[in-house]
C-alpha cells in the first residue's frame, strides 16, 4: 500500500532546504540592492555631463524632447512591481534631464539662472516626498540638486562667473585658454580654501547619508558623492590641457 507518511518524510528535508535557499537568496539580494542603487545614482549623475552636454549644445530641441522617453520608461517601470524601484530612480533622473536640457539649451550664457532652472522639478519632488511616494527618485533629484548648488556656490565665491559666460559664448576650440585662466583663479589660497571647505561639506553629507539603511538615502548619497568625481574630472581635464 502506498505510504504517504514515508513520502512526506522524504520530501520534508528537500522542502526545508529549498526554503533556506530562497531565504539566503533574498538576504543576498537585499544586501546588494542598496549598493546597486548607490552605483546607479552615481552613474546617472555622470550621464548629463558626458552625454547630454554635447547633445544639448548641438541639438537642444532633441535633448529636450528626449525627456519624454525617459518619463515614459520610468512610468512603465514604476507600474511593474519587479522594476518599480528602478522606475522610481529613473523618474528622478528624468527631472534632472529636463532641467538640464532647458538650461544648457537656451540659458547657459547666464550662470545666475542655472540653479533656479535646475530646481524646476523641486516642487514635484517635495510633493512626492510629502505623499511618501517616489522616495528614491525624489532623493536622487535632491542629491543632484545639492551637488549643483555647492558647485555653483564655489563659482560665486571664487569669482568664476565671468569665465562661465566667456566659455559659453566662445567656440569650442577657443574655450581652453579661458579654462586655463579660470584654473589660475582657482589655484589661489582663497580658491583652494573654498574648495576644501565645500568638498568637506559634500563628503560629510554624502558619507552620513550613506550610513542610512533606506534605499532612498543610498540614492541621495550616490548623487552627492558623484558630484565630487565629476567636478574632479573636469578640473583635471582643464589643468592637463
Amino acid at each position: 500500500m502506498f505510504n504517504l507518511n514515508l513520502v512526506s518524510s522524504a520530501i520534508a528535508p528537500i522542502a526545508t532546504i529549498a526554503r533556506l535557499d530562497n531565504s539566503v537568496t533574498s538576504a543576498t539580494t537585499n544586501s546588494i540592492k542598496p549598493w546597486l542603487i548607490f552605483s546607479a545614482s552615481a552613474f546617472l549623475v555622470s550621464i548629463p555631463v558626458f552625454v547630454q552636454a554635447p547633445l544639448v549644445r548641438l541639438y537642444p530641441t532633441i535633448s529636450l524632447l528626449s525627456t519624454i522617453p525617459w518619463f515614459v520608461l520610468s512610468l512603465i517601470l514604476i507600474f511593474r512591481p519587479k522594476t518599480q524601484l528602478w522606475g522610481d530612480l529613473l523618474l528622478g533622473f528624468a527631472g534632472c534631464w529636463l532641467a538640464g536640457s532647458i538650461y544648457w539649451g537656451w540659458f547657459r550664457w547666464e550662470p545666475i539662472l542655472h540653479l533656479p532652472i535646475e530646481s524646476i522639478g523641486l516642487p514635484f519632488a517635495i510633493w512626492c516626498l510629502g505623499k511618501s511616494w517616489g522616495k528614491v527618485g525624489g532623493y536622487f533629484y535632491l542629491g543632484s540638486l545639492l551637488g549643483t548648488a555647492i558647485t555653483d556656490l564655489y563659482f560665486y565665491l571664487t569669482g568664476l562667473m565671468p569665465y562661465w559666460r566667456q566659455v559659453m559664448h566662445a567656440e569650442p576650440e577657443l574655450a581652453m585658454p579661458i579654462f586655463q585662466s579660470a584654473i589660475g583663479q582657482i589655484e589661489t589660497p582663497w580658491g583652494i580654501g573654498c574648495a576644501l571647505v565645500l568638498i568637506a561639506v559634500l563628503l560629510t553629507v554624502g558619507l552620513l547619508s550613506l550610513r542610512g539603511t533606506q534605499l532612498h538615502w543610498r540614492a541621495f548619497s550616490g548623487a552627492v558623492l558623484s558630484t565630487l568625481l565629476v567636478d574632479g574630472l573636469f578640473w583635471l581635464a582643464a589643468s592637463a590641457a
Side-chain angles (χ1 to χ4, degrees):
M1 185 174 180
F2 190 72
N3 194 329
L4 291 176
N5 291 331
L6 182 61
V7 173
S8 61
S9 62
I11 293 177
I14 299 175
T16 302
I17 292 173
R19 285 195 297 269
L20 289 173
D21 286 344
N22 289 336
S23 177
V24 170
T25 302
S26 178
T28 303
T29 301
N30 290 335
S31 64
I32 293 175
K33 187 178 293 184
W35 292 109
L36 288 177
I37 291 295
F38 175 85
S39 302
S41 298
F43 174 73
L44 289 175
V45 167
S46 67
I47 286 182
V49 177
F50 300 108
V51 178
Q52 188 181 30
L55 174 65
V56 76
R57 190 179 183 94
L58 297 174
Y59 309 105
T61 303
I62 292 177
S63 179
L64 180 62
L65 292 177
S66 64
T67 307
I68 298 174
W70 287 123
F71 273 116
V72 171
L73 178 59
S74 67
L75 293 176
I76 291 174
L77 295 176
I78 283 175
F79 288 107
R80 294 179 178 178
K82 290 184 178 180
T83 57
Q84 182 178 6
L85 180 64
W86 303 108
D88 187 353
L89 180 61
L90 193 60
L91 183 62
F93 169 75
C96 295
W97 185 278
L98 172 64
S101 295
I102 294 173
Y103 176 76
W104 296 107
W106 291 276
F107 299 96
R108 62 179 177 268
W109 298 276
E110 185 46 66
I112 199 170
L113 296 177
H114 185 216
L115 191 59
I117 294 177
E118 290 288 349
S119 303
I120 193 172
L122 187 58
F124 180 69
I126 293 175
W127 180 83
C128 288
L129 295 178
K131 298 291 184 179
S132 295
W133 183 86
K135 282 190 173 182
V136 172
Y139 273 81
F140 169 81
Y141 178 84
L142 293 178
S144 178
L145 188 61
L146 176 62
T148 298
I150 294 295
T151 302
D152 283 11
L153 178 60
Y154 181 77
F155 273 73
Y156 282 112
L157 291 175
T158 54
L160 292 174
M161 290 305 175
Y163 297 101
W164 183 320
R165 295 185 179 96
Q166 292 175 37
V167 167
M168 292 302 127
H169 283 96
E171 295 297 324
E173 60 272 14
L174 301 177
M176 195 49 63
I178 303 173
F179 279 125
Q180 292 295 323
S181 299
I183 290 296
Q185 187 86 354
I186 293 172
E187 294 176 343
T188 62
W190 174 251
I192 294 173
C194 289
L196 291 175
V197 171
L198 296 180
I199 287 172
V201 171
L202 284 174
L203 278 175
T204 301
V205 173
L207 293 176
L208 285 177
S209 56
L210 188 61
R211 296 173 62 184
T213 57
Q214 296 94 338
L215 294 177
H216 58 268
W217 284 118
R218 294 302 177 95
F220 181 82
S221 178
V224 170
L225 292 178
S226 62
T227 301
L228 291 172
L229 175 62
V230 171
D231 288 350
L233 290 175
F234 172 79
W235 180 81
L236 286 175
S239 300

